[in-house]
């Protein structure tokens, strides 16, 4: 599932002063095979929200803090599972850390 929520919170501006900050929180909810849910969220950044589609199957690799999509045939971008950098699907290695991209 996917959700967009408009949020508001107080943040310190320093010297004991606070301002209200409005932001958009993008959430991707992934349901595991055992029924539990994993929620990935980001503030004011819809990249992951747009990358994953409802119904996509994903897998988690032990030792990496990322989720890999099984089917990337319609994608134009791919995330590096080692450093989470955004790469072109045409690349074989990450432009940032030089690790192989899982295709």
């Amino acid at each position: 599932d996917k959700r967009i929520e408009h949020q508001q919170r107080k943040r310190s501006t320093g010297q004991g002063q606070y301002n209200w900050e409005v932001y958009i929180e993008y959430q991707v909810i992934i349901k595991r095979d055992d029924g539990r849910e994993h929620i990935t969220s980001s503030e004011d950044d819809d990249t992951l929200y747009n990358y994953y589609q409802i119904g996509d199957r994903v897998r988690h690799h032990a030792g990496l803090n990322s989720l890999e999509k099984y089917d990337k045939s319609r994608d134009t971008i791919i995330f590096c599972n080692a450093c989470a950098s955004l790469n072109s699907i045409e690349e074989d290695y990450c432009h940032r850390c030089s690790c192989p991209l899982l295709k």
Side-chain angles (χ1 to χ4, degrees):
D1 196 16
K2 296 178 2 173
R3 286 192 287 242
I4 298 175
E5 296 181 2
H6 294 273
Q7 302 284 344
Q8 188 176 21
R9 71 165 160 242
K10 273 188 180 180
R11 277 213 173 146
S12 173
T13 58
Q15 313 258 334
Q17 302 218 352
Y18 292 89
N19 284 338
W20 282 101
E21 183 178 87
V22 177
Y23 64 96
I24 298 173
E25 182 176 58
Y26 295 92
Q27 296 180 345
V28 177
I29 299 100
I30 297 168
K31 189 171 185 178
R32 295 171 33 150
D33 290 336
D34 63 7
R36 292 189 290 170
E37 291 182 346
H38 172 74
I39 298 175
T40 301
S41 63
S42 60
E43 297 175 9
D44 292 328
D45 183 4
D46 64 352
T47 306
L48 281 177
Y49 181 86
N50 293 327
Y51 180 67
Y52 293 108
Q53 302 302 317
I54 294 175
D56 281 347
R57 301 243 336 131
V58 297
R59 64 180 148 214
H60 180 265
H61 294 278
L64 300 175
N65 192 21
S66 63
L67 298 168
E68 179 195 4
K69 286 172 53 170
Y70 278 99
D71 181 14
K72 300 177 202 85
S73 61
R74 296 173 300 205
D75 293 345
T76 58
I77 61 169
I78 188 171
F79 287 93
C80 175
N81 284 49
C83 73
S85 290
L86 200 57
N87 291 275
S88 169
I89 194 75
E90 295 156 0
E91 299 297 323
D92 291 326
Y93 296 93
C94 177
H95 72 277
R96 183 172 171 205
C97 70
S98 301
C99 286
L101 298 171
L102 303 178
K103 294 186 184 183

